Amino acid sequence: MPSLLIADDHPLFRAALRQAARDALGDVELLEAGDLDGVLATLDAQPQVDLVLLDLHMPGNHGLAGLAAVRAQHPGVAVIVVSANDDPRVVRRALDHGAAGYLPKSAGLDELRDAIRTVLACETWLPAMLRASVSRAASSPHDADLAARLASLSPQQFRVLTLVAEGLLNKQIADRLDVQERTVKAHLTAIFERLGVRNRTQAGVVLRELELSDPARQLE
């Protein structure tokens, strides 16, 4: 029985995704999370999850950073990005950072079902209206390099990087992760080397390059 994690902070949209998943798969285990911390905690506790439907702008997530976190810490889990942002360049970036599909929030139930079935069949899915424009959107060499550098980090190193970007000190990171401070320092040495940076500030900048503006907030 496939297991899906629906990650969105809007209850009505989660309900629509639940219905689409049941229609597409019938017998399916459904889990839910309303913020990025909940997504990562659920994946830690439920390693059987096959697919995450991930809102780009849920609380704790800032664009592609959440996608990168899931891919780094749980590389065996497929991710369909869900967003009101249908800019082909954003879609291209999401695919380059490891998304298996991209689902606009304007999609109908038929598209929701098709996306879930296609990605669980180990294929990439895009809505028909975006396929041509995304195919014309060239991948950025810088973005491809950034994705490769982030993918080179271990799950724990990515957690450390995230906390560094939040401004935590080594001792605070050690307390948060329940490790010794010298372990954090060792992780930072490896992070700096793999990201090609010299200090904590530059490491935090690397992660912030994944931030995207939220179209819903722009309308407000």
Side-chain angles (χ1 to χ4, degrees):
M1 178 175 62
S3 178
L4 272 65
L5 172 57
I6 297 172
D8 195 285
D9 60 320
H10 292 95
L12 289 177
F13 196 71
R14 288 204 305 270
L17 292 174
R18 284 198 306 272
Q19 186 60 52
R22 291 193 180 101
D23 289 349
L25 303 171
D27 194 16
V28 58
E29 178 186 26
L30 294 175
L31 305 168
E32 297 184 25
D35 57 35
L36 183 60
D37 286 344
V39 171
L40 297 175
T42 299
L43 291 175
D44 285 340
Q46 306 285 344
Q48 80 280 5
V49 172
D50 300 295
L51 172 63
V52 178
L53 303 175
L54 180 69
D55 180 10
L56 271 188
H57 298 289
M58 68 193 308
N61 193 10
H62 304 284
L64 300 172
L67 170 63
V70 172
R71 297 297 300 141
Q73 297 178 39
H74 302 278
V77 177
V79 180
I80 295 176
V81 165
V82 180
S83 177
N85 191 334
D86 58 4
D87 183 333
R89 294 167 298 180
V90 172
V91 179
R92 179 77 266 162
R93 291 191 73 194
L95 296 177
D96 288 345
H97 281 277
Y102 197 98
L103 185 67
K105 288 199 170 183
S106 58
L109 285 176
D110 287 343
E111 287 183 307
L112 291 173
R113 289 190 287 266
D114 188 33
I116 292 169
R117 290 192 187 109
T118 300
V119 170
L120 284 176
C122 300
E123 298 176 20
T124 301
W125 189 89
L126 291 175
M129 68 177 185
L130 286 177
R131 289 169 192 163
S133 57
V134 172
S135 68
R136 292 192 298 268
S139 296
S140 162
H142 173 74
D143 228 28
D145 176 64
L146 174 59
R149 284 185 287 156
L150 290 171
S152 74
L153 300 179
S154 71
Q156 190 75 328
Q157 287 166 356
F158 196 95
R159 293 185 185 100
V160 171
L161 174 61
T162 300
L163 296 174
V164 166
E166 291 178 8
L168 272 66
L169 302 176
N170 287 359
K171 186 179 186 310
Q172 294 171 311
I173 295 172
D175 292 342
R176 180 78 64 87
L177 298 179
D178 195 24
V179 298
Q180 295 186 353
E181 193 170 347
R182 67 170 178 268
T183 301
V184 174
K185 292 178 180 178
H187 282 318
L188 284 173
T189 298
I191 290 167
F192 294 166
E193 180 180 350
R194 294 182 183 186
L195 296 185
V197 300
R198 293 192 298 270
N199 54 49
R200 305 166 71 91
T201 300
Q202 291 179 346
V205 168
V206 167
L207 200 59
R208 284 192 290 274
E209 289 183 41
L210 298 176
E211 294 181 357
L212 297 170
S213 59
D214 184 350
R217 292 188 181 277
Q218 289 178 336
L219 290 175
E220 292 172 2

